[in-house]
Amino acid sequence: MSMDALEKIFGKTAQITVLKNLIQHKGESTYLSGIAEETGLSHSSVARVIEPLLKANIVIEKRLGKQIRTFSLNLDSELTNHILDFYGRLEKMKL
């Protein structure tokens, strides 16, 4: 898999990988295990790097019962929308 513009600029970190996965599933909810499976990252890595995204309000968490957590991009966040716009513009540039 070739690097996209986001990775070329910021590096291929676990946090960028998780953010890209959530962007690709914009408007959908997913689980830590689903992100881990799709990205090839460990469950613990996904859990670790999603925390700063939650704190920045880029990602929102919903709990289903006591154990299950779901995650999605916070499309009501101005910051998230700036990131989506930036990502879209980078992809068009074909760096």
Side-chain angles (χ1 to χ4, degrees), residues 29-40:
S29 289
T30 189
Y31 306 94
L32 288 179
S33 56
I35 297 169
E37 190 176 310
E38 288 188 11
T39 61

Side-chain angles (χ1 to χ4, degrees), residues 44-91:
S44 60
S45 290
V46 175
R48 178 177 46 82
V49 300
I50 209 161
E51 285 306 316
L53 299 173
L54 287 164
K55 285 188 174 110
N57 207 25
I58 294 166
V59 173
I60 48 177
E61 173 185 350
K62 288 190 177 136
R63 289 195 177 266
L64 302 176
K66 292 184 179 178
Q67 299 281 320
I68 302 170
R69 303 162 68 194
T70 66
F71 302 91
S72 60
L73 282 181
N74 182 1
L75 298 177
D76 293 330
S77 160
E78 187 176 353
L79 178 56
T80 303
N81 285 299
H82 284 305
I83 290 168
L84 289 170
D85 183 53
F86 177 69
Y87 184 74
R89 288 171 189 237
L90 280 180
E91 288 299 289

